[in-house]
Amino acid sequence: MDLRGELLIDGVWRTPVSAVRIPVVSPSTGEVIGQAPDADAEDVDRAVQAARRSLHLGEWRNASVDERAAVLDRALDLLMPRSAEIAALVTSEMGLPITYAGVQIPGALGVGRYFLDTAQRIPATEVLRTSCGPAAVLREPVGVVASIAPWNGPFNMAVAKIWPALVAGCSMVFKPAPETPLDGYLLAEALVDAGLPRGVFNYVTGDADAGRALVAHPDVDKVSFTGSTAVGREIGRHCATRFARVQLELGGKSAAIVLDDADLETTMTGLATGSFFNTGQVCASYSRVLVPRGRYDEIVGALVATAESFVVGDPFDPQTTMGPLVSTRQRERVLGYLEIGRSEGATLATGGQIPDGFERGAFIQPAVFVGVHGGMRIAQEEIFGPVACVLCYDTVDEAVAIANDSDYGLHGAVFTTDPGRAAEVAHRVRTGTFSVNSFTYNPEAPFGGVKSSGIGRDTGPQAVESYYELKTVNLTEDTIAPFL
């Protein structure tokens, strides 16, 4: 049964009120490969009301964590045999090479199980002994969650948003990015088939207007969003008016600081992934590479060779190591920044052109800018493409100052053979996440940003905790027993 013309609302696949459809375009060929409804405000309201109704009925909210985890674990069991199918959809929708997508999907399902295990270790009630007497601290679901995922990692980000919210007992409306709605249908189908009560999970596709209707809805208690800082600010304003909880994982302009004692091979391995993985469409990318003057030529040469080693091409070809950008619109954005960089006086050491034979689609060669200084737009603004900007420094103090000279604070790195120096730099760079001698995304530890990179943490135990409200019940010694 093809569900892609429908929305999941109140446990039933329904024809949307809106007759408008969003075409899903392959970034590899430019051809339309599917479509999804562009939900309007009435569709969104139906979904939110279904979530609110399920919360009020309480079947899911009042179930134990173990009972909720069992249902969500069944959904993961249903999805695992379809990993290859999901991977192919992700590759078709957004161009991630199939060799990477084939690993990413089972990994995402494993992260889902991590969230279930974590939730089962968090006590629903804790009793505190205080100077004012005993107090029980209850963890209760935050309520109705509106969750909006990005296109650059559609399936893994969906799992990371949905599983913590549901295992905590929330009801939710989930909206994928309009560029990548297709893989989420399989996920939604699995949740229904696993026995999730009606209305607990609702799947709504749509463009920006659907997102605005969702985050502004008065019955939404929390918004979880991953995407651009500009949209995050708009969401924050909506949530502030009604004091809705908000969790925002936004943009980045992360700096990788290469110290003078760094191992070249280790550094290039980290930068290959950190600067260019997923065609540079990663909010945590090392888009600024800070290099000591004494090793500038050596490291730039190695970085250029690393960029040139990528095989750009058809993402379904197992030999391809870099697929297209998500859309021709995104490619035009990246090409625009390449022109900005040149006009500011930076030099392209390699890349930045559309590869021969790949005029269709949204392909681009990975690029390395040299001669970059911190005041340039290419050193301050998020490009979101395979573009590494190399900046030179003379002292570690200067390198840290350059790294911190940013509106963003999502990720960062240091490359060095000295653990003590690594720890010193890690403490001094102001960012929510940091890696040493690598590019590491660790879903079992908190991930998120500071400054304009957002609020809250999307992974680790904190991801589950963020979907609870804490209620304190002040007790007397003769009333404490039911809470123990």
Side-chain angles (χ1 to χ4, degrees):
M1 179 178 178
D2 186 2
L3 303 172
R4 297 174 192 173
E6 299 182 295
L7 306 174
L8 179 63
I9 298 176
D10 202 19
V12 178
W13 291 101
R14 301 179 185 274
T15 301
V17 174
S18 170
V20 179
R21 298 292 182 267
I22 299 173
V24 181
V25 178
S26 163
S28 303
T29 66
E31 297 174 350
V32 175
I33 58 172
Q35 63 175 12
D38 187 7
D40 65 11
E42 186 174 349
D43 292 314
V44 169
D45 179 65
R46 291 163 65 196
V48 174
Q49 291 303 326
R52 175 61 61 189
R53 189 161 50 250
S54 75
L55 195 74
H56 176 72
L57 291 172
E59 180 182 356
W60 185 252
R61 182 194 66 201
N62 295 330
S64 70
V65 172
D66 288 348
E67 289 169 333
R68 295 194 292 258
V71 175
L72 296 170
D73 195 51
R74 282 199 297 274
L76 295 172
D77 285 341
L78 292 170
L79 288 164
M80 186 61 79
R82 306 185 75 175
S83 292
E85 181 184 358
I86 298 167
L89 276 174
V90 170
T91 298
S92 297
E93 289 175 306
M94 59 82 57
L96 180 68
I98 192 66
T99 50
Y100 302 145
V103 174
Q104 188 180 85
I105 304 309
L109 299 176
V111 171
R113 288 205 161 86
Y114 162 78
F115 287 129
L116 302 185
D117 292 342
T118 298
Q120 290 171 296
R121 291 195 297 270
I122 298 173
T125 302
E126 292 180 273
V127 174
L128 306 180
R129 297 286 183 174
T130 79
S131 61
C132 298
V137 179
L138 315 183
R139 287 180 173 85
E140 299 182 341
V142 73
V144 173
V145 175
S147 189
I148 302 176
W151 46 256
N152 61 322
F155 187 82
N156 57 319
M157 289 302 302
V159 171
K161 288 186 176 295
I162 294 166
W163 260 250
L166 292 183
V167 76
C170 297
S171 295
M172 70 186 305
V173 180
F174 179 82
K175 191 188 90 66
E179 294 87 351
T180 54
L182 303 182
D183 62 281
Y185 277 95
L186 303 187
L187 189 154
E189 196 176 12
L191 287 168
V192 172
D193 291 346
L196 199 68
R198 287 183 58 163
V200 171
F201 178 80
N202 303 272
Y203 189 72
V204 174
T205 59
D207 213 330
D209 286 345
R212 290 188 185 97
L214 183 56
V215 303
H217 199 290
D219 276 322
V220 166
D221 299 301
K222 175 176 176 174
V223 175
S224 172
F225 170 78
T226 298
S228 74
T229 296
V231 175
R233 287 194 177 100
E234 182 181 349
I235 290 171
R237 285 191 291 270
H238 280 296
C239 292
T241 62
R242 63 182 192 277
F243 300 106
R245 305 300 185 254
V246 64
Q247 191 165 320
L248 304 172
E249 197 262 278
L250 307 176
K253 195 67 181 178
S254 303
I257 301 174
V258 183
L259 297 188
D260 54 10
D261 65 342
D263 177 76
L264 188 62
E265 182 178 355
T266 299
T267 300
M268 289 307 120
T269 298
L271 294 179
T273 304
S275 298
F276 301 117
F277 177 71
N278 203 19
T279 321
Q281 300 168 123
V282 177
C283 51
S285 282
Y286 300 152
S287 52
R288 295 181 294 157
V289 180
L290 280 49
V291 176
R293 192 172 303 277
R295 297 187 65 184
Y296 188 83
D297 291 343
E298 174 197 11
I299 292 169
V300 166
L303 185 59
V304 166
T306 297
E308 292 176 348
S309 71
F310 281 90
V311 178
V312 180
D314 176 4
F316 281 101
D317 184 339
Q319 302 304 311
T320 293
T321 55
M322 182 175 288
L325 292 158
V326 73
S327 65
T328 54
R329 181 177 66 177
Q330 184 66 17
R331 186 176 67 183
E332 289 305 308
R333 172 185 169 86
V334 173
L335 291 172
Y337 270 105
L338 294 176
E339 185 55 40
I340 289 169
R342 285 188 288 259
S343 70
E344 290 180 317
T347 301
L348 265 180
T350 190
Q353 71 276 13
I354 297 171
D356 292 339
F358 288 96
E359 288 74 18
R360 294 177 66 200
F363 295 92
I364 192 170
Q365 293 283 1
V368 175
F369 264 123
V370 296
V372 180
H373 62 75
M376 292 179 175
R377 287 180 62 188
I378 58 170
Q380 291 292 330
E381 299 176 14
E382 187 175 41
I383 298 173
F384 223 62
V387 182
C389 299
V390 182
L391 296 87
C392 187
Y393 70 87
D394 290 303
T395 67
V396 174
D397 286 345
E398 183 185 2
V400 170
I402 293 170
N404 287 334
D405 180 24
S406 173
D407 289 338
Y408 297 104
L410 185 59
H411 196 200
V414 64
F415 291 88
T416 176
T417 55
D418 186 331
R421 297 178 80 196
E424 178 190 356
V425 172
H427 280 293
R428 293 177 65 190
V429 176
R430 190 174 176 220
T431 184
T433 316
F434 200 81
S435 295
V436 176
N437 291 332
S438 68
F439 177 86
T440 300
Y441 175 73
N442 182 357
E444 297 182 22
F447 176 82
V450 298
K451 300 191 284 187
S452 292
S453 289
I455 298 170
R457 298 295 179 262
D458 278 357
T459 52
Q462 292 76 12
V464 178
E465 289 276 17
S466 74
Y467 290 98
Y468 288 120
E469 287 283 11
L470 300 182
K471 177 190 286 182
T472 297
V473 181
N474 293 302
L475 303 166
T476 57
E477 288 297 338
D478 60 340
T479 59
I480 196 172
F483 296 91
L484 294 175

